[in-house]
Amino acid sequence: GQIGYHRLSAEVGIPAFTIRRWVDAYRLHGDGSFARRRDHYPAEFKLSVLQHMWDNASTFNRTAAVFNIPSPDSIRTWARRYREGGSAALGRKKTAALKMPTRLPPPDDKPVHELTREELLKRVEYLQMEVAVLKKLEALTQAKKAAAPKKRK
């Protein structure tokens, strides 16, 4: 319309560069620029995007608009990975699943005087962990209460 990016930015509270990127994408792709897009791109596509950006001395924002990529930061990441490891670094990296910590078994129901030293140590460790979890829960509850807006009477 008639209003500039910076004035519109001030009115709606969205950075001007973001509005400019949306407008560029809309001009190139119409309503399709706001459709949900794929999350992962093949390495060949990433390389072609980078090549286009370099050949046309384009910015990350402009290149994202041309290829209808939601975040210019994706292209920035691809460029960094390409600089560090070449085209092979553009392939999708699989992240290793985080290993869950081993759980301590709950203490058995034997009377304390019948437990061996090792069993007593395990029970102490379990109880210390249980107390730590309860303390953390209490701290989180207190922080949530403190952060909650106060009601006026």
Side-chain angles (χ1 to χ4, degrees):
Q2 303 301 316
I3 188 170
Y5 293 124
H6 292 284
R7 195 162 138 209
L8 180 60
S9 170
E11 286 184 19
V12 296
I14 297 173
F17 68 88
T18 300
I19 296 170
R20 182 176 289 118
R21 188 174 72 235
W22 291 344
V23 169
D24 285 346
Y26 183 78
R27 285 181 179 153
L28 289 165
H29 305 285
D31 288 339
S33 63
F34 299 107
R36 184 161 171 83
R37 296 167 210 73
R38 63 186 339 190
D39 295 331
H40 303 288
Y41 301 94
E44 298 79 23
F45 175 76
K46 295 174 185 178
L47 187 57
S48 70
V49 169
L50 292 173
Q51 197 62 53
H52 176 274
M53 182 179 70
W54 296 326
D55 289 348
N56 296 290
S58 185
T59 64
F60 293 115
N61 285 338
R62 180 70 183 148
T63 305
V66 168
F67 287 92
N68 204 17
I69 296 171
S71 173
D73 289 333
S74 297
I75 301 171
R76 188 174 287 112
T77 300
W78 301 343
R80 179 185 45 78
R81 286 172 55 188
Y82 183 83
R83 278 192 313 274
E84 293 172 357
S87 59
L90 295 176
R92 189 165 173 205
K93 291 185 176 182
K94 302 244 182 204
T95 55
L98 297 175
K99 186 176 180 183
M100 293 295 292
T102 57
R103 288 187 174 183
L104 296 172
D108 53 18
D109 291 333
K110 289 197 307 190
V112 175
H113 65 278
E114 292 179 11
L115 295 174
T116 66
R117 176 176 167 71
E118 291 75 26
E119 291 171 330
L120 285 170
L121 289 174
K122 282 184 181 180
R123 183 174 285 190
V124 167
E125 186 179 4
Y126 180 86
L127 293 171
Q128 286 174 332
M129 182 262 324
E130 196 173 67
V131 167
V133 168
L134 292 172
K135 283 183 178 180
K136 183 67 175 175
L137 178 63
E138 180 63 25
L140 290 172
T141 303
Q142 294 300 323
K144 189 174 182 180
K145 284 181 184 176
K150 306 270 192 271
K151 292 183 179 179
R152 291 187 184 189
K153 291 185 179 183

